[in-house]
Amino acid sequence: MNKHSLLYIIKLIILVVSVVYTLDKVVYFGLETLNKNVYTGASGGKVNQFLREKDNLDFIVLGSSRANHHVDNIKISKNSFNMGLDGTKIAFSATLLKTLPTNKAQIILLHISPKHSLDSNYKGDDIEGLSKLYHQNNIIKEEYNALGKNKIMNQIFWSLNFNGTVMGLFKNYFFPNYDINTYSGYDPLYITDEQKRIFKTVLENKINEPCLNEPKLNSIYERYLDEISLFCKENNKKLILFTAPIYQDDCKNDDDILGKILKQKNIEYWNMTSFFNENNSLNYWRDNSHLSNTGAEIFTDSLKLKLNQLK
């Protein structure tokens, strides 16, 4: 290959990279503009609504689906939001908690799973649900980087942060499925007779899961627990961790271990896995770890009573 051919190839590569880079930024800023106007749906709209309203809230629920579907926050406070989201864990919730305003009195009810908190394999991957806000929110960017999720290709090609969510964004932009003026984040699970029958069959054939062998608090969970505890103490927040009811809890060992750890850290923890044990009914359940709307309303009433006793 002669000198002129090599120079031509280099110029061509530079041109292609420049065009791709420019197109990526055009696509990214287009998607960013779209995302800023979406306030419904799990693909980003619910987070956007939370970030828009968070500074004025008095009561906030955070956590996974067991927060989202179990706590009717409006029954507890009219000025509240349930930011529970299916599939999320401590990294996602703690990051959003850190975006809350400083020195404003707020009650934070955060769901925590004993099983997940003692899982040595947890790497904080759930924070990737906030990836589209990486270049827009410094707190999210810092947490993303701290977990080592800032992949080099995503740093170069920003539109990659929208992977897997574009269709959801377009759907919720053009066809929002609820009114955000009346939506407070709580998503009850309504069950049918067929679902009750299926759950009953599942229970009859259920095989108990073994307890964890010598469980230890995951290092990422521990870091986030320490950080959000300090954040809340320094910024006039009341932090309460809770574990929602489970129909059949195969292992109480992890509950006890987590409870002892949180007590040592002076973090208030309500373990309510056995809440329905003395008065249980299949009408209260969608599956082994998710309450129906009926069960959630009963559970919420109990939470409200406990919160009122703190005042």
Side-chain angles (χ1 to χ4, degrees):
M1 182 181 295
N2 59 42
K3 181 178 179 181
H4 292 292
S5 297
L6 179 61
L7 185 60
Y8 173 78
I9 292 173
I10 292 174
K11 288 181 178 180
L12 182 60
I13 291 173
I14 293 174
L15 176 62
V16 170
V17 170
S18 299
V19 170
V20 171
Y21 182 83
T22 302
L23 284 175
D24 168 73
K25 296 304 173 290
V26 171
V27 171
Y28 170 80
F29 286 113
L31 291 173
E32 179 188 15
T33 301
L34 176 69
N35 182 56
K36 286 179 178 178
N37 291 282
V38 172
Y39 291 98
T40 65
S43 60
K46 186 174 184 180
V47 171
N48 288 343
Q49 183 179 356
F50 169 76
L51 292 175
R52 188 177 72 169
E53 299 179 6
K54 63 183 177 62
D55 291 2
N56 298 313
L57 300 171
D58 297 324
F59 176 61
I60 297 163
V61 180
L62 291 166
S64 65
S65 58
R66 284 162 39 77
N68 180 25
H69 304 307
H70 290 180
V71 185
D72 186 353
N73 47 293
I74 291 298
K75 292 184 73 173
I76 297 172
S77 171
K78 300 297 182 185
N79 188 26
S80 66
F81 195 81
N82 186 326
M83 192 49 241
L85 198 65
D86 294 10
T88 59
K89 297 177 182 177
I90 191 70
F92 183 94
S93 296
T95 298
L96 290 181
L97 190 153
K98 289 181 179 183
T99 68
L100 294 175
T102 58
N103 297 318
K104 174 177 171 55
Q106 293 174 309
I107 297 174
I108 315 298
L109 188 64
L110 170 61
H111 184 271
I112 187 169
S113 165
K115 182 178 179 180
H116 292 157
S117 66
L118 301 174
D119 180 5
S120 61
N121 295 317
Y122 175 67
K123 305 298 182 184
D125 291 343
D126 52 306
I127 200 174
E128 293 178 6
L130 299 170
S131 63
K132 63 178 65 67
L133 298 173
Y134 179 86
H135 295 287
Q136 304 168 40
N137 187 294
N138 287 332
I139 292 174
I140 291 174
K141 186 174 187 177
E142 289 173 4
E143 296 304 321
Y144 220 83
N145 292 345
L147 288 169
K149 304 300 180 183
N150 52 333
K151 301 171 185 175
I152 202 90
M153 291 301 291
N154 293 67
Q155 293 289 319
I156 299 171
F157 301 110
W158 293 7
S159 60
L160 290 177
N161 289 328
F162 283 87
N163 269 0
T165 65
V166 174
M167 293 303 295
L169 287 178
F170 275 100
K171 174 186 175 295
N172 286 290
Y173 179 80
F174 291 105
F175 307 104
N177 57 3
Y178 55 80
D179 182 358
I180 65 168
N181 295 311
T182 58
Y183 181 67
S184 60
Y186 168 57
D187 295 313
L189 297 174
Y190 298 96
I191 58 173
T192 64
D193 290 338
E194 177 64 12
Q195 288 170 328
K196 291 180 188 178
R197 186 192 65 77
I198 292 173
F199 181 40
K200 186 176 181 180
T201 301
V202 169
L203 289 173
E204 291 171 351
N205 296 281
K206 188 176 185 297
I207 299 174
N208 291 351
E209 295 183 13
C211 295
L212 294 171
N213 185 29
E214 299 182 0
K216 181 181 179 181
L217 185 62
N218 178 280
S219 59
I220 293 176
Y221 264 84
E222 182 159 26
R223 174 172 70 82
Y224 272 122
L225 288 172
D226 292 339
E227 289 176 358
I228 62 176
S229 176
L230 180 61
F231 176 87
C232 289
K233 288 175 181 176
E234 291 181 343
N235 291 286
N236 201 20
K237 319 289 184 198
K238 175 62 178 176
L239 176 64
I240 302 167
L241 271 59
F242 80 106
T243 301
I246 294 177
Y247 185 88
Q248 181 180 322
D249 189 0
D250 295 334
C251 186
K252 289 290 185 183
N253 187 40
D254 52 5
D255 298 36
D256 296 336
I257 291 173
L258 178 61
K260 290 177 182 178
I261 292 171
L262 294 176
K263 185 175 182 180
Q264 291 173 353
K265 292 181 177 295
N266 198 29
I267 299 175
E268 186 150 3
Y269 174 52
W270 298 347
N271 179 10
M272 304 180 77
T273 54
S274 303
F275 176 76
F276 284 107
N277 277 13
E278 295 181 2
N279 182 29
N280 217 342
S281 167
L282 288 182
N283 291 326
Y284 300 159
W285 298 91
R286 172 71 177 269
D287 55 42
N288 192 61
S289 57
H290 291 93
L291 296 169
S292 68
N293 65 302
T294 302
E297 293 303 314
I298 296 172
F299 179 60
T300 297
D301 288 339
S302 178
L303 286 176
K304 183 177 181 179
L305 181 61
K306 288 175 72 69
L307 287 165
N308 286 338
Q309 290 172 347
L310 292 177
K311 298 177 181 179

